[in-house]
């Protein structure tokens, strides 16, 4: 088997290839061979992009589906948990 052609790809291009492999139903080995990719490089990028996506997802907390309506006469309160014991609270009293 010939060595795969070395080509630089952006993280976005690797993500597209990873998505294509998942949608194809092929194993990583079969997909890599069919697309001229080194399987170890494919696996490296899959791990790398998964860990960076997990890091971004960890920054956000899902909001509840049903918003709580504000009390118009009493102003509003907003609380933002910044992690590591840091919490930002904003309040505006009604007048």
């Amino acid at each position: 088997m010939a060595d795969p052609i070395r080509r630089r790809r952006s993280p976005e291009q690797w993500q597209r290839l990873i998505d294509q492999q998942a949608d194809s139903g092929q194993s990583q080995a079969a997909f890599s061979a069919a697309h001229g990719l080194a399987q170890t490089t494919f696996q490296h990028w899959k791990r790398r992009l998964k860990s960076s996506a997990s890091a971004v997802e960890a920054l956000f907390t899902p909001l509840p589906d049903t918003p709580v309506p504000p009390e118009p006469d009493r102003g509003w309160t907003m609380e933002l948990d910044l992690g590591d014991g840091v919490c930002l609270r904003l309040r505006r009293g009604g007048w």
Side-chain angles (χ1 to χ4, degrees):
M1 180 171 131
D3 289 332
I5 297 172
R6 291 184 173 251
R7 178 177 163 203
R8 293 206 180 267
R9 291 180 174 85
S10 70
E12 293 80 14
Q13 290 171 318
W14 278 109
Q15 186 60 59
R16 280 194 295 275
L17 286 167
I18 291 164
D19 294 341
Q20 287 174 6
Q21 184 269 328
D23 293 341
S24 74
Q26 291 179 306
S27 68
Q28 289 181 15
F31 184 85
S32 296
H35 288 83
L37 305 170
Q39 184 179 355
T40 55
T41 305
F42 182 85
Q43 291 169 338
H44 164 80
W45 276 99
K46 188 170 183 176
R47 280 190 309 274
R48 181 175 175 182
L49 293 173
K50 182 179 180 182
S51 66
S52 66
S54 297
V56 170
E57 289 171 8
L59 295 174
F60 299 96
T61 302
L63 296 174
D65 291 336
T66 54
V68 177
E71 297 181 28
D73 296 336
R74 298 198 177 186
W76 51 265
T77 301
M78 185 181 347
E79 186 172 306
L80 181 60
D81 185 353
L82 301 173
D84 292 330
V86 178
C87 184
L88 175 64
R89 290 186 187 97
L90 302 172
R91 291 189 183 109
R92 180 173 180 185
W95 43 77

